[in-house]
Amino acid sequence: QVQLVESGGGSVQAGGSLRLSCAASGYTYSTYYMAWFRQAPGKEREFVSWINDSGSTFYADSVRGRFTISRDNTWNPLYLQMNNLKFEDTAMYYCAADFPRRGGRSYLRWESYNYWGQGTQVTVSS
């Protein structure tokens, strides 16, 4: 049973930083896409960033240059370093994974992921 558990959320003032973590367990796959999505109240779930087993990364325009996704290797946690946070970054942040990497899909879409964490809240005050 694959489990994803996020941590690291909290409250911060605009301009501040947070680092989110996502610990994955219960899998043996070495190929993957892993991603961060976020959802603010009353809004749809929004893609933030993905990383794959080749180390490639991709970011939403709204966070590019401020956020960094990383994962040292298959067995380490997934991270999201968030710098220069803005009020509009306030949301519940979710970790998602496609284990094993199935391909043939857009990894910008939440439907492409088969495992999800429970979320961690990020609140940025202006």
Side-chain angles (χ1 to χ4, degrees):
Q1 181 79 14
V2 175
Q3 287 190 320
L4 304 177
V5 179
E6 302 97 331
S7 60
S11 297
V12 65
Q13 288 191 329
S17 298
L18 284 173
R19 189 175 82 155
L20 305 184
S21 299
C22 173
S25 62
Y27 69 98
T28 58
Y29 314 113
S30 60
T31 64
Y32 62 85
Y33 270 78
M34 293 190 75
W36 292 96
F37 285 75
R38 65 188 182 186
Q39 188 167 20
K43 294 189 177 181
E44 293 187 352
R45 198 174 318 184
E46 176 189 26
F47 168 78
V48 175
S49 179
W50 60 246
I51 187 168
N52 65 21
D53 52 271
S54 298
S56 297
T57 60
F58 189 79
Y59 298 91
D61 288 344
S62 59
V63 306
R64 187 174 290 116
R66 300 188 297 121
F67 291 10
T68 302
I69 192 171
S70 64
R71 193 181 194 212
D72 291 341
N73 60 52
T74 302
W75 315 113
N76 280 2
L78 175 72
Y79 297 105
L80 185 69
Q81 177 67 43
M82 305 186 295
N83 297 328
N84 190 21
L85 282 161
K86 303 177 180 180
F87 175 75
E88 51 265 37
D89 294 319
T90 296
M92 185 72 78
Y93 282 70
Y94 297 93
C95 172
D98 182 31
F99 285 146
R101 170 166 49 88
R102 294 170 289 174
R105 62 199 63 229
S106 169
Y107 285 100
L108 304 183
R109 297 175 58 86
W110 66 267
E111 299 94 331
S112 296
Y113 297 85
N114 50 4
Y115 298 103
W116 289 85
Q118 81 290 349
T120 186
Q121 178 67 38
V122 171
T123 302
V124 184
S125 56
S126 57

